[in-house]
Amino acid sequence: QVQLVESGGGLVQAGGSLRLSCGASESIFSIDAMGWYRQAPGKQRELVAEIRRGGSINYADFVKGRFTIFRDIAKNTVYLQMNSLNPEDTAVYYCNAHKAAWPIPLWGQGTQVTVSS
C-alpha cells in the first residue's frame, strides 16, 4: 500500500512563504500524477497544482506566479513552494497521487496552512 506523508504546514504572516513536502513510499516516477489540493472551512476541496509523470504542470489560476510545484525523483518527494501568501490561502493542504492501476487516488493526511493578516 503506497503511502503519502506530508509536512511543512504552519502559521505565517501575509506575504510570507512556506514549503510543503509530500513523500511517497514508492518511486514517484511510477505515479501518473501528483499534486496538491486544499480545503478551507466550509468550502470544497480544490486543486492547487499538479505535476504529471512526464513533467507537465498545471496550476490553479489563483496561485499562478505565487506557488511552484516541483519534485525530487531521487527522494520520491513532491514539493509546493508557496510565496506571497495571503489569508485566503488558509486551508488544509492535501497531497494527492493517482495512477491508472489504482482503483482510487491516494491522499495524504493533510497539513494545515494558516496565513494571518
Side-chain angles (χ1 to χ4, degrees), residues 30-52:
S30 72
I31 298 173
D32 293 334
M34 292 186 68
W36 291 93
Y37 286 69
R38 71 185 188 185
Q39 188 166 19
K43 295 187 177 181
Q44 289 190 329
R45 193 171 297 188
E46 59 185 357
L47 174 69
V48 176
E50 181 179 69
I51 182 167
R52 300 196 64 82

Side-chain angles (χ1 to χ4, degrees), residues 2 5 9 15 17-18 24-25 27-28 34 46 54 56 60 62 72-73 91 97 103:
V2 178
V5 179
S17 299
L18 283 174
S25 59
S27 170
I28 62 173
M34 292 186 68
E46 59 185 357
S56 61
F62 55 78
D72 186 331
I73 295 175

Side-chain angles (χ1 to χ4, degrees), residues 51-117:
I51 182 167
R52 300 196 64 82
R53 180 168 52 197
S56 61
I57 291 172
N58 179 40
Y59 290 106
D61 287 342
F62 55 78
V63 302
K64 285 182 180 177
R66 299 189 299 126
F67 293 8
T68 302
I69 188 171
F70 62 99
R71 64 189 177 183
D72 186 331
I73 295 175
K75 294 182 178 180
N76 294 328
T77 301
V78 173
Y79 302 91
L80 184 68
Q81 177 67 42
M82 306 186 292
N83 299 327
S84 301
L85 285 160
N86 58 61
E88 290 70 37
D89 296 315
T90 295
V92 178
Y93 284 70
Y94 295 91
C95 181
N96 169 276
H98 59 90
K99 189 174 178 179
W102 298 342
I104 57 174
L106 291 182
W107 293 94
Q109 78 279 9
T111 185
Q112 176 70 47
V113 171
T114 303
V115 185
S116 63
S117 57

